[in-house]
Amino acid sequence: SGSGSGSSAAAAASKRVPRKQTPPPKTAVEDLKELIREGGVGALYRGIEPAIIGTVASQAVYYYFYSTLRTLYIKRARENPGALSSLGIASVAGSINVFLTIPIWTVVTRMQASRSNQRSRGAGAGKAPEGETGGGASGAGGSGGG
């Protein structure tokens, strides 16, 4: 009695429509060329303002904690840190940096996604996309900056 259901499942599987083959994924160079073709060279720099804000904040946090930890090390050990100690100090400073700047990077990502969505909606509705420099600044205050 069990063999009847097994053979019907096998028959159904053999009658399935074959899947369409998906094209191979694009290479980075192909994506780059398409981006430039669709939006010009300025398209390569969309979202640069929030990325710069995030990078500056991240570097400031890292440098502050690296400097502070290095100074503490020198005060205690009464010598400059060696290679291994420097690596440890840098690792701790980097970890603190990541922990403290995750919220900033979340906002940066949202701002970039919001700008991308605004451009997509604008272009899709028959409107010209906002200018690469002027549109970016006005987009920051609207959805992601507050």
Side-chain angles (χ1 to χ4, degrees):
S1 66
S3 63
S5 64
S7 61
S8 64
S14 67
K15 293 180 183 179
R16 288 188 185 141
V17 178
R19 289 186 180 186
K20 292 182 181 179
Q21 288 186 329
T22 57
K26 293 180 185 177
T27 65
V29 172
E30 289 171 334
D31 271 341
L32 188 65
K33 287 178 181 178
E34 182 179 336
L35 187 59
I36 292 171
R37 192 175 339 110
E38 291 176 357
V41 176
L44 299 175
Y45 297 95
R46 285 187 191 141
I48 195 167
E49 297 96 347
I52 288 174
I53 292 167
T55 300
V56 167
S58 184
Q59 292 300 314
V61 168
Y62 173 81
Y63 182 75
Y64 172 79
F65 282 100
Y66 179 84
S67 255
T68 301
L69 293 170
R70 187 175 186 279
T71 300
L72 288 173
Y73 178 91
I74 292 170
K75 282 182 180 177
R76 287 187 178 210
R78 297 177 194 254
E79 63 182 13
N80 285 329
L84 192 58
S85 297
S86 290
L87 181 62
I89 292 167
S91 297
V92 172
S95 297
I96 293 169
N97 172 38
V98 168
F99 180 75
L100 293 179
T101 60
I102 282 284
I104 294 169
W105 288 111
T106 301
V107 170
V108 165
T109 303
R110 285 179 178 232
M111 288 173 71
Q112 290 171 334
S114 173
R115 289 177 183 186
S116 177
N117 289 339
Q118 287 172 356
R119 282 191 180 92
S120 296
R121 281 193 302 262
K127 299 176 189 172
E130 296 179 24
E132 294 306 314
T133 55
S138 65
S143 60

